[in-house]
Amino acid sequence: MTLRQLRYFVEIARTRSITHAAQSLGVAQPALSTHIAALESELGVRLFERHAKGVELSEAGERLYARALELISGFDNLKRDVNQTEDSPVGKVRLCIGGAIAAIVAPPLLRSMAERYPLVDLHVTDALSHEIQMQLEAGVAELALMPNAAEIPGMSSVSVLEEPFMLFGASELMRDKPSLVPFADVAGLPLAAPDRAYDARKVIERVAANAGLTLDIRYELNSTGMLIGVVKEGLAYAVLPSNLCHEAVATGALARRAIDALPVTRVQAIVWLSDRALTPAAAAVKDQLAQTVRVLVAKGRLEGRAV
C-alpha cells in the first residue's frame, strides 16, 4: 500500500467517479483503475460499488476513507510539525475537557488561541472522566482537562483548579436547609449520583468513609442531564461540583448549599501521556488553557481556587 494509492482512492471517493478523479489528478484512467485494483487486492476487500452513474464507497471503503484522510493529513503536516518552534507553533491539537466545565472553559480558550496562535488548529470535545482517560491512552486526544489526574498511571499533569462540591436540591426542598449543611445530614438524605466508576462519586464516597458514614444513594445515573432532572423533580438531592449546575441554579430550578465537612473538593488538571512529548502546538494549548482557567476564576465565572 502506498500513499499515492491512498490519494487516488480519496479522490475517487470524493468525486464518486473514476473518470472525474483521473481528470483532476492528471492520471490516465486505466492507470488509476490499476492502482485501485492493486489496493483492493492487498486489502482483500472491494472498496467501491460500480454502477452506471459512477461509483459509491462500499462499507469497507467507508472505513478506509476516514483513516486515509487522517493518514494523508498526517503525512502532509509532517514537515510543518517537525519545523515548527515554540515561538511559532503550527498544527492540529485535540483537547478533551471534562463535561462539567467544558462549556465555561472552551469559548474563551478558543478565542485566545485564535488571537495568539492562529496557526494552531484546536479541536475541543467534552467527555466524562473515564472516557477522557481512554481517549488519551488511545491517542485520540493529546491533552485533557480532567479531575484527579494524579490517580491515573502513565500520565503527566499540571493542576489548575480546586473546585468545591455542594449540595443541590429542588428549590422548594432546600428552603429549610441552612447555608452550611453538615456532611452527616447530607449522608442521611436520599441522593442521586453516578456509579463508582465516576470521579464525582469517588470523591463523596471517600469523604463519607473518612467520616464513618454511609451514603443513601437512591439513584445511580451516569447522565448529567438525567441526574439534574431527578433532582429538579424532588426525587433526590445530589452532591456535585459547584460548577456543574450553573444554569439550573440561575433559573431557580435548583438551589444549593455549602457542605460543612472534611474538604469535599476535587482538583482539575491538564493531562497528557508521560511517554509522549508535547509538540510546540500542544504546549501552547496547555499554557493558554492554564491561563484561561486563572482568568475565569478571577472573574468569578469558574468557582474554586486557581492552583
Side-chain angles (χ1 to χ4, degrees), residues 46-63:
R46 182 178 293 276
L47 298 174
F48 294 102
E49 301 295 342
R50 279 77 170 174
H51 53 75
K53 295 183 179 180
V55 296
E56 295 291 338
L57 286 169
S58 66
E59 289 186 12
E62 292 281 3
R63 291 192 292 271

Side-chain angles (χ1 to χ4, degrees), residues 43-302:
L43 293 173
V45 296
R46 182 178 293 276
L47 298 174
F48 294 102
E49 301 295 342
R50 279 77 170 174
H51 53 75
K53 295 183 179 180
V55 296
E56 295 291 338
L57 286 169
S58 66
E59 289 186 12
E62 292 281 3
R63 291 192 292 271
L64 177 61
Y65 184 65
R67 290 292 290 121
L69 288 175
E70 292 179 8
L71 291 167
I72 292 171
S73 175
F75 184 84
D76 290 343
N77 292 336
L78 184 59
K79 182 177 179 181
R80 183 189 67 184
D81 291 345
V82 169
N83 290 333
Q84 68 175 305
T85 66
E86 293 182 2
D87 296 330
S88 57
V90 179
K92 181 178 179 179
V93 179
R94 293 161 297 186
L95 166 68
C96 193
I97 302 178
I101 61 173
I104 303 172
V105 173
L109 173 63
L110 288 167
R111 182 183 299 112
S112 62
M113 285 299 301
E115 292 171 353
R116 294 196 59 184
Y117 304 106
L119 298 180
V120 174
D121 182 16
L122 176 58
H123 289 238
V124 184
T125 59
D126 66 333
L128 298 169
S129 55
H130 73 288
E131 296 169 344
I132 295 176
Q133 180 180 347
M134 290 189 291
Q135 290 194 30
L136 287 169
E137 292 172 344
V140 175
E142 289 86 15
L143 289 168
L145 178 62
M146 62 183 295
N148 295 333
E151 300 176 2
I152 306 175
M155 300 289 175
S156 296
S157 63
V158 175
S159 298
V160 292
L161 174 70
E162 183 180 15
E163 56 179 348
F165 279 56
M166 302 188 78
L167 175 67
F168 291 87
S171 296
E172 61 273 16
L173 296 180
M174 296 289 279
R175 291 195 182 103
D176 63 343
K177 296 288 187 293
S179 58
L180 191 63
V181 182
F183 190 80
D185 293 349
V186 172
L189 295 172
L191 298 175
D195 66 37
R196 288 185 171 90
Y198 288 76
D199 174 76
R201 176 70 173 273
K202 293 177 182 177
V203 170
I204 60 174
E205 290 277 11
R206 189 179 301 123
V207 174
N210 289 338
L213 299 169
T214 301
L215 299 175
D216 182 10
I217 305 294
R218 300 287 180 88
Y219 303 97
E220 283 194 340
L221 302 166
N222 293 339
S223 161
T224 301
M226 285 195 294
L227 197 153
I228 293 175
V230 164
V231 176
K232 285 168 64 176
E233 287 295 318
L235 298 173
Y237 298 82
V239 180
L240 298 168
S242 59
N243 291 299
L244 183 60
C245 305
H246 274 305
E247 184 176 349
V249 172
T251 61
L254 294 183
R256 65 183 192 174
R257 298 289 187 271
I259 299 172
D260 183 14
L262 300 170
V264 189
T265 64
R266 70 177 182 183
V267 175
Q268 296 275 357
I270 304 171
V271 188
W272 64 97
L273 286 175
S274 299
D275 61 358
R276 186 171 303 174
L278 293 178
T279 65
V285 172
K286 176 176 72 70
D287 294 342
Q288 198 62 36
L289 176 55
Q291 175 63 17
T292 298
V293 170
R294 287 193 292 269
V295 170
L296 289 172
V297 171
K299 291 182 176 180
R301 294 180 58 193
L302 269 180

